[in-house]
Amino acid sequence: AQTVTQSQPEMSVQEAETVTLSCTYDTSESDYYLFWYKQPPSRQMILVIRQEAYKQQNATENRFSVNFQKAAKSFSLKISDSQLGDAAMYFCAYRSGYSGGSNYKLTFGKGTLLTVNP
Amino acid sequence: DTAVSQTPKYLVTQMGNDKSIKCEQNLGHDTMYWYKQDSKKFLKIMFSYNNKELIINETVPNRFSPKSPDKAHLNLHINSLELGDSAVYFCASSRRRQSEQYFGPGTRLTVT
């Protein structure tokens, strides 16, 4: 079974600074997807960024980028120019790339609570 | 405009009652999911349906019964509610062959 580990329960960053959230995962599969989801106090789960395991290029979405190290099974999220609205719980998630039943589920890490200080 | 909607958003009920949560998506997706987020914010899959067929059924008490009348709707019925059922329940949807899942706003269930 796949596992996702987020070793930082809490992080803080100053507004306009850069912060990196860590995520490691364990899998024996070669085809999979990795995600970062954001959950602000409103409770809504918002997809931040997606990475396909077969792509060597790191995904980027505006101020959000990832550092995907497949051999190390590491998938960190970098937030540049942090804004007050970035304050939220961030979840790293894994999904198998194979077809069939439980392969479609997301397996989540325990989350990292990010505080942005003005 | 709402992509994935859930009703109700809040549900407070007493132990032993039966309750339902409804989910609807207008994204044209063919796969829907129920996740449970516990008091420590941990998210775990409960069920998934693809075109009205149950494809994921994790270790969940059989007091929980999902139903999908069509591929745009997925409901969750819970019998004989217990204190430990208190949590936030999220509905999500995706296209089966795509990886991203889009979540509803969640239903906070409180059992007293």
Side-chain angles (χ1 to χ4, degrees), chain A residues 4 33-35 37 39-47 50-52 89 91 95-96 99-111, chain B residues 4 9-10 31 33 35 37 40-45 48 55-56 58 88 90 94-108:
Chain A
V4 178
Y33 302 91
L34 296 164
F35 307 89
Y37 279 87
Q39 187 178 39
S42 66
R43 192 171 78 205
Q44 179 70 53
M45 292 288 289
I46 301 165
L47 177 64
R50 175 186 102 152
Q51 176 78 44
E52 294 93 333
M89 182 74 89
F91 292 97
R95 203 211 88 157
S96 171
S99 297
S102 63
N103 288 327
Y104 297 123
K105 71 181 181 185
L106 291 174
T107 299
F108 287 92
K110 291 186 176 180
Chain B
V4 184
K9 287 194 172 60
Y10 297 92
T31 307
Y33 310 80
Y35 288 86
Q37 186 174 43
K40 295 184 179 177
K41 302 284 190 182
F42 186 61
L43 279 146
K44 192 165 188 241
I45 186 74
S48 177
I55 59 170
I56 298 176
E58 294 284 293
V88 178
F90 284 98
S94 71
R95 290 195 189 278
R96 188 171 192 173
R97 297 193 182 282
Q98 289 182 346
S99 59
E100 307 93 284
Q101 293 181 18
Y102 295 91
F103 284 76
T107 296
R108 180 177 292 281

Side-chain angles (χ1 to χ4, degrees), chain A residues 13-17 63 79-87 116:
Chain A
V13 63
Q14 291 295 125
E15 202 175 357
E17 297 294 309
R63 297 182 296 107
I79 307 174
S80 303
D81 185 25
S82 296
Q83 300 175 358
L84 294 177
D86 295 333
V116 181

Side-chain angles (χ1 to χ4, degrees), chain A residues 53-74:
Chain A
Y54 62 85
K55 286 189 177 178
Q56 292 188 336
Q57 187 172 6
N58 290 325
T60 299
E61 287 287 342
N62 301 314
R63 297 182 296 107
F64 298 87
S65 61
V66 298
N67 183 3
F68 174 48
Q69 302 287 329
K70 190 171 183 179
K73 295 180 182 172
S74 169

